[in-house]
Amino acid sequence: MLTKLYKKMRLLKHKGREPYSSLYKLLGYYPDNVHLYEQAFLHKSSSVEGDDGRWLNNERLEFLGDAILDAIIADTIYKHFQNRKEGFLTNTRSKIVQRENLNRIAVQLGLNKMVRYSAKLNSHHNHLYGNALEALIGAIYLDQGYEVCYRFIEEKIIKKHMDLDGIARKEVNFKSALIEWSQKNKLEISFDLIESFIDNDGNPVFQTAITLTDFQIGVGIGYSKKESQQNAAKMAIKKLRNDKEFQQMIAEMKKKRQEEQEESLQEQEEDNTSTAIDEITDASLAITIEEED
């Protein structure tokens, strides 16, 4: 009782001050340990030294928040998508917690105005806002417990910024989808890194091209090889779906491949027939020789 009264008096004292005011608008409650939230918004590029000599940033909180977010999202989609199989649930969860999606939600929540990071760091490819969102979830868990954390994710993130059914239908892993298409149609594709360079901010940039036989069907640029491959695959899939001329070319390639396979099969059958005839002839010759003996 005394502990609750002390907390209430302390919070009333700081109620109108920063960062309590901003955190209240974001969270819907006043935090008990405001330092956890301050650390959640502290990128490693702006680490500060604590009283014990340790350098503080949001990486440890991000690790914790990532695990908690995974668990709560898993629980949410398990309840939302009745009777769906494990593969569907796993795929949907991965779409929800992917970096690009969390980064978008973090900006919509206003975390981009609260995160502290070095001015030298280019934020557009580091997903630091999405990472800060996970760190915030870790801070909420440590400060208020699992139930409050669950309520924050459900009320502030899922209901306001997520369309679970739309996300489930959304195609995200373009590279996997393209590889699956190539295997189904028995057409070989390759992902080739054609260029890498450093941009004006000192960040590595990669350019990937996708080749189908002798045709380049997609080119993508990204701040990692994986990102450039995804962007290239996205372009290729868009071309496969919307480019009528390209679709006709694919149809002709498949027809040609089928004709070659049929020709090869026919040649094999002729070889087998010829071999069988030779075997019969040899057998007849052997019988004739035995009769003569």
Side-chain angles (χ1 to χ4, degrees):
M1 183 68 179
L2 290 174
T3 302
K4 289 184 179 180
L5 182 61
Y6 168 75
K7 285 184 178 180
K8 188 173 182 180
M9 291 175 62
R10 182 170 60 83
L11 292 175
L12 286 173
K13 179 182 176 181
H14 298 288
K15 188 174 180 180
R17 300 179 183 178
E18 292 295 347
Y20 285 91
S21 179
S22 296
L23 287 171
Y24 181 81
K25 291 177 183 178
L26 173 65
L27 305 170
Y29 64 85
Y30 290 103
D32 291 338
N33 185 353
V34 72
H35 300 298
L36 283 171
Y37 300 86
E38 291 175 331
Q39 186 175 341
F41 299 132
L42 191 62
H43 187 262
K44 65 179 180 180
S45 63
S46 294
S47 299
V48 298
E49 189 174 5
D51 296 335
D52 57 359
R54 292 188 301 118
W55 287 94
L56 301 176
N57 55 57
N58 65 2
E59 285 190 327
R60 283 171 54 83
L61 287 172
E62 179 193 338
F63 163 78
L64 180 61
D66 175 64
I68 296 167
L69 179 63
D70 263 0
I72 293 175
I73 292 298
D75 181 66
T76 300
I77 62 176
Y78 180 85
K79 294 172 181 175
H80 183 82
F81 297 104
Q82 297 288 330
N83 303 319
R84 297 307 297 262
K85 294 182 179 180
E86 179 191 0
F88 172 87
L89 298 176
T90 300
N91 190 37
T92 301
R93 181 181 60 183
S94 68
K95 292 176 186 178
I96 292 173
V97 300
Q98 66 166 318
R99 294 292 132 186
E100 291 80 4
N101 194 39
L102 294 183
N103 221 49
R104 173 187 62 81
I105 293 171
V107 171
Q108 290 173 343
L109 289 172
L111 300 194
N112 55 314
K113 299 175 183 177
M114 305 174 77
V115 178
R116 292 171 55 191
Y117 61 91
S118 171
K120 296 180 180 179
L121 185 69
N122 196 326
S123 65
H124 69 280
H125 71 281
N126 287 285
H127 308 307
L128 60 88
Y129 303 136
N131 296 341
L133 176 57
E134 290 182 331
L136 174 63
I137 291 169
I140 295 171
Y141 172 75
L142 292 177
D143 184 52
Q144 298 288 321
Y146 182 80
E147 292 301 323
V148 173
C149 200
Y150 195 111
R151 191 160 59 247
F152 171 80
I153 292 172
E154 183 179 46
E155 298 293 333
K156 302 289 186 177
I157 296 178
I158 296 174
K159 288 185 178 180
K160 289 188 176 182
H161 300 287
M162 287 186 185
D163 174 8
L164 295 180
D165 296 301
I167 291 174
R169 291 190 299 268
K170 184 179 178 182
E171 189 172 49
V172 174
N173 196 334
F174 299 104
K175 181 180 178 180
S176 293
L178 186 61
I179 291 173
E180 184 178 343
W181 173 87
S182 71
Q183 292 172 343
K184 182 179 179 181
N185 290 276
K186 298 180 180 179
L187 296 172
E188 186 175 348
I189 61 171
S190 63
F191 291 78
D192 304 303
L193 180 65
I194 58 177
E195 186 181 11
S196 62
F197 57 92
I198 303 298
D199 68 9
N200 294 331
D201 297 316
N203 303 303
V205 180
F206 302 89
Q207 186 175 30
T208 295
I210 300 175
T211 304
L212 174 64
T213 61
D214 296 326
F215 299 95
Q216 192 176 92
I217 62 173
V219 177
I221 295 176
Y223 287 94
S224 68
K225 291 180 182 179
K226 181 178 179 181
E227 185 180 4
S228 70
Q229 290 174 347
Q230 285 287 348
N231 289 333
K234 183 178 181 180
M235 177 187 289
I237 289 175
K238 185 177 180 180
K239 194 171 184 178
L240 286 168
R241 289 175 175 171
N242 302 322
D243 190 328
K244 299 297 182 183
E245 185 178 338
F246 185 67
Q247 290 172 359
Q248 180 62 32
M249 186 191 77
I250 295 296
E252 291 173 358
M253 289 176 60
K254 291 170 67 175
K255 182 179 179 182
K256 182 180 178 181
R257 177 182 54 79
Q258 186 175 357
E259 289 174 350
E260 290 174 348
Q261 288 179 341
E262 289 176 352
E263 184 179 341
S264 176
L265 183 61
Q266 184 177 354
E267 290 176 355
Q268 186 177 352
E269 288 177 350
E270 290 175 355
D271 289 342
N272 291 339
T273 302
S274 177
T275 301
I277 292 172
D278 290 342
E279 289 175 352
I280 292 171
T281 302
D282 291 342
S284 299
L285 182 60
I287 292 170
T288 302
I289 292 172
E290 288 179 1
E291 289 177 349
E292 290 178 354
D293 290 346

